[in-house]
């Protein structure tokens, strides 16, 4: 395996473990041929930067802080460009920056990392003792690594917040109450005053139905209380929506039967606490793990998961399954002529067009760069010719929708796509194999169009 192949393999590996940043930086050194790579951001200490991860070609080094002034990293945040390179003479340009002298670095290359709102929150960089030259391939790889690290770092921050909220919840006051067998609140804690916007005195003696509403009581709360009245201890999570609150609450609830001295169950002790923010944070983490941060479409991980489900279902179904692999023609020239920000907006526009064009049950995914996947199901016909006619109709539909002109930031940009289609005949095949078939068809279509255009 070549260094470049190994770099792509490292970057494509699952990003669910803590070693992702190390793998991404190693991929960066392999692709660029540089000795050192790092991921840095401005520190919470004014005037300082912080290297979150640093790879020296063999080992991962501990994080460290440094003074931004007089460093090449300072230039990254001052410059309007996303990509910055100092090809040689690094020590002469930044004589006061100790790290460069210590490493013996002579060249530096960096790419900004932006969040979903377009705000710069960090950058990746490579250093080397030899001169570096800028080229389009390394720039694009820099950009892909920056996007991946940006998404994973946001997910990392959200996970940290989730852990902090776990600790906060563990030390917070619970909602405590005693509900008798007639579903009447007999004892409530102070927390219930906020939940119902009533005093404890106003709550005690009221029924669960009266406070939560008939529907919530019947469908959510009564079944749990009845189980507790039968002697069962229950731990569960439920959504409740007290009438005076604008939004529902997600509660972690414990029900424990309460016995009198004679051993009879008199009611249930209910202990609950609000974990709405925790649930929302979990949902955000799940979303980041399964969606492309730029377009909002399913990412590669989500695509493979959904496609595997369709293949399993398709073995016992009469439905046909087709995969469309779409590549924007000459997308590099759009980035070169109008800049990456406009290029990103083109990708978002293509994602929106695909979403409008596709059927509700279709899977739409952006798997990287300017490449998109659409997986669609259809009523399978008896003959191969009929199924092929369906594919031709789908190709025409996609071409009609995506060969168009976009108006972005005052620029009229003409776009077109090459579409490769693969009809799934073997539902036991690996998803990656099926996608490769569609990719190969797309490449053939692109070549045919290029040959046709050259003859004209």
């Amino acid at each position: 395996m070549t260094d470049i192949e190994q770099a792509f393999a490292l970057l494509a590996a699952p990003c669910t473990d803590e070693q992702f940043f190390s793998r991404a930086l190693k991929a960066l050194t392999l692709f660029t041929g540089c000795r050192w790579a790092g991921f840095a951001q401005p520190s919470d200490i004014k005037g300082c930067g912080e290297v979150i991860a640093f790879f020296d070609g063999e080992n991962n080094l501990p994080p460290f802080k440094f003074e931004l002034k007089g460093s090449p990293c300072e230039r990254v945040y001052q410059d309007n460009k996303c990509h910055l390179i100092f090809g040689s003479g690094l020590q002469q340009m930044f004589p006061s920056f100790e790290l460069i002298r210590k490493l013996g670095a002579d060249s530096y290359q960096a790419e900004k990392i932006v969040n979903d709102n377009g705000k710069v929150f960090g950058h990746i960089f490579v250093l080397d003792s030899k001169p570096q030259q800028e080229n389009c391939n390394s720039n694009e790889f820099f950009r892909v690594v920056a996007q991946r690290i940006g998404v994973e770092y946001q997910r990392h921050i959200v996970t940290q917040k989730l852990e902090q909220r776990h600790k906060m919840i563990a030390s917070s006051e619970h909602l405590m109450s005693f509900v008798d067998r007639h579903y009447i609140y007999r004892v409530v804690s102070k927390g219930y005053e906020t939940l119902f916007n009533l005093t404890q005195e106003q709550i005690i003696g009221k029924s669960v139905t009266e406070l939560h509403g008939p529907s919530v009581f019947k469908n959510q709360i009564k079944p749990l209380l009845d189980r507790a009245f039968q002697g069962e201890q229950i731990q569960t999570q439920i959504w409740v929506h007290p009438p005076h609150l604008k939004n529902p609450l997600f509660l972690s609830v414990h029900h424990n039967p309460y016995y009198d001295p004679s051993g009879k169950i008199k009611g249930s002790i209910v202990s609950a606490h609000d974990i709405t923010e925790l649930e929302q944070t979990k949902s955000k983490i799940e979303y980041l793990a399964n969606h492309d941060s730029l377009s909002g479409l399913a990412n590669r991980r989500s695509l493979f998961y959904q496609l595997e489900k369709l293949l399993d279902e398709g073995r016992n179904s009469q439905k046909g399954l087709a995969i469309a692999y779409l590549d924007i023609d000459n997308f590099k020239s759009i980035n070169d002529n109008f800049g990456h920000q406009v290029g990103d907006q083109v990708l978002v526009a293509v994602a929106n067009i695909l979403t409008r064009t596709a059927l509700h049950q279709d899977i739409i995914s952006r798997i990287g760069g300017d490449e998109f996947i659409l997986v669609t199901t259809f009523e399978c016909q008896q003959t191969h010719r009929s199924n092929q006619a369906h594919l031709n109709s789908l190709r025409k539909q996609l071409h009609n929708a995506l060969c168009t002109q976009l108006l972005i930031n005052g620029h009229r940009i003409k776009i077109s796509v090459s579409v490769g289609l693969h009809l799934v005949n073997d539902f036991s095949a690996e998803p990656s194999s099926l996608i490769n078939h569609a990719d190969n068809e797309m490449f053939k279509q692109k070549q045919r169009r290029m040959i046709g255009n050259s003859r004209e």
Side-chain angles (χ1 to χ4, degrees):
M1 183 182 289
T2 67
D3 284 352
I4 292 177
E5 288 171 338
Q6 189 179 352
F8 277 109
L10 285 166
L11 195 60
C15 48
T16 55
D17 61 73
E18 296 179 356
Q19 300 302 314
F20 172 76
F21 300 113
S22 301
R23 292 202 307 271
L25 295 179
K26 183 177 181 180
L28 200 57
T29 61
L30 288 170
F31 194 93
T32 61
C34 291
R35 171 68 188 278
W36 303 281
F39 163 39
Q41 65 174 12
S43 171
D44 50 3
I45 301 173
K46 188 176 181 180
C48 289
E50 182 178 10
V51 173
I52 307 297
F54 193 72
F55 182 76
D56 71 350
E58 296 179 358
N59 301 301
N60 300 307
L61 303 182
F64 59 91
K65 288 183 170 62
F66 62 93
E67 188 174 352
L68 272 173
K69 188 174 181 180
S71 73
C73 301
E74 181 186 35
R75 298 279 188 91
V76 173
Y77 300 116
Q78 292 174 342
D79 201 292
N80 291 327
K81 296 179 180 178
C82 288
H83 194 85
L84 190 68
I85 183 170
F86 299 110
S88 61
L90 196 62
Q91 297 189 45
Q92 289 73 32
M93 283 187 275
F94 305 97
S96 62
F97 195 52
E98 184 180 352
L99 178 64
I100 293 175
R101 293 202 309 273
K102 185 177 179 180
L103 297 177
D106 186 59
S107 58
Y108 174 94
Q109 195 170 173
E111 177 85 17
K112 291 178 183 176
I113 303 175
V114 298
N115 61 20
D116 294 343
N117 299 321
K119 183 179 179 181
V120 178
F121 70 88
H123 68 285
I124 54 172
F125 62 90
V126 291
L127 293 161
D128 200 71
S129 57
K130 299 176 182 178
Q132 298 183 48
Q133 289 186 347
E134 188 170 15
N135 66 72
C136 295
N137 288 336
S138 67
N139 286 5
E140 188 61 29
F141 191 79
F142 255 87
R143 187 162 173 265
V144 171
V145 174
Q147 286 180 344
R148 287 290 305 279
I149 284 183
V151 170
E152 293 309 311
Y153 189 66
Q154 288 182 75
R155 192 143 63 99
H156 174 69
I157 294 299
V158 170
T159 302
Q160 283 187 328
K161 290 181 179 178
L162 179 64
E163 292 171 353
Q164 292 171 359
R165 287 193 176 112
H166 268 296
K167 294 176 182 177
M168 289 172 61
I169 289 169
S171 62
S172 67
E173 276 191 36
H174 288 188
L175 297 165
M176 298 287 295
S177 66
F178 169 64
V179 180
D180 69 16
R181 293 187 69 104
H182 300 290
Y183 311 105
I184 304 296
Y185 283 108
R186 294 304 179 186
V187 180
V188 295
S189 67
K190 197 75 174 174
Y192 273 81
E193 293 188 334
T194 302
L195 184 66
F196 294 121
N197 198 28
L198 297 169
T199 65
Q200 286 173 293
E201 291 76 15
Q202 290 172 319
I203 297 169
I204 293 171
K206 292 187 182 297
S207 69
V208 179
T209 304
E210 190 176 355
L211 291 170
H212 284 280
S215 177
V216 172
F217 171 69
K218 179 181 178 182
N219 297 318
Q220 295 175 258
I221 300 178
K222 185 179 182 297
L224 298 173
L225 288 171
D226 287 343
R227 287 166 62 188
F229 296 159
Q230 296 299 316
E232 187 177 349
Q233 293 185 352
I234 306 161
Q235 179 179 353
T236 188
Q237 296 174 343
I238 62 171
W239 285 97
V240 298
H241 195 172
H244 77 282
L245 294 180
K246 182 179 179 181
N247 297 312
L249 300 176
F250 193 62
L251 300 180
S252 176
V253 187
H254 295 255
H255 287 77
N256 292 285
Y258 177 75
Y259 297 85
D260 68 9
S262 65
K264 291 182 179 180
I265 296 174
K266 302 295 289 184
S268 173
I269 296 174
V270 182
S271 172
H273 56 275
D274 182 3
I275 57 169
T276 308
E277 287 190 28
L278 181 65
E279 180 68 14
Q280 290 170 342
T281 304
K282 285 182 178 178
S283 297
K284 185 173 182 181
I285 290 175
E286 185 176 350
Y287 182 87
L288 287 171
N290 292 290
H291 291 80
D292 170 48
S293 61
L294 177 66
S295 66
L297 298 178
N299 60 14
R300 183 184 292 270
R301 174 187 176 185
S302 178
L303 168 67
F304 275 63
Y305 174 75
Q306 294 183 73
L307 183 51
E308 283 177 351
K309 286 182 64 177
L310 284 179
L311 291 171
D312 287 339
E313 294 167 1
R315 295 187 184 101
N316 301 311
S317 169
Q318 298 302 313
K319 293 279 188 179
L321 186 65
I323 299 173
Y325 196 113
L326 300 96
D327 181 88
I328 302 175
D329 298 326
N330 301 314
F331 183 70
K332 181 179 176 299
S333 66
I334 296 176
N335 281 332
D336 292 343
N337 295 329
F338 303 103
H340 286 298
Q341 288 187 339
V342 171
D344 285 348
Q345 291 183 60
V346 169
L347 294 173
V348 171
V350 169
N352 291 337
I353 293 171
L354 271 175
T355 302
R356 293 195 300 269
T357 305
L359 299 175
H360 175 69
Q361 71 272 18
D362 289 349
I363 303 170
I364 314 168
S365 170
R366 177 178 174 236
I367 59 170
D370 59 330
E371 296 170 325
F372 297 81
I373 297 286
L374 183 141
V375 181
T376 184
T377 56
F378 60 95
E379 293 297 331
C380 195
Q381 303 299 316
Q382 296 297 321
T383 65
H384 176 75
R385 178 178 294 181
S386 298
N387 289 327
Q388 194 61 46
H390 179 82
L391 290 190
N392 293 336
S393 175
L394 177 60
R395 186 193 306 280
K396 185 177 180 180
Q397 183 183 9
L398 292 171
H399 273 298
N400 289 342
L402 290 166
C403 296
T404 185
Q405 190 175 79
L406 303 174
L407 181 60
I408 297 177
N409 292 354
H411 303 293
R412 293 192 177 277
I413 301 173
K414 188 176 181 181
I415 64 166
S416 62
V417 295
S418 294
V419 180
L421 290 167
H422 177 67
L423 180 65
V424 177
N425 295 311
D426 181 7
F427 283 82
S428 64
E430 290 292 323
S432 57
S433 173
L434 298 174
I435 290 172
N436 282 337
H437 284 309
D439 184 13
N440 291 335
E441 286 300 314
M442 182 277 296
F443 184 71
K444 292 176 184 177
Q445 288 287 331
K446 192 179 284 284
Q447 283 188 318
R448 291 191 194 104
R449 293 176 66 188
M450 289 175 62
I451 294 171
N453 291 337
S454 64
R455 287 176 177 172
E456 293 175 3

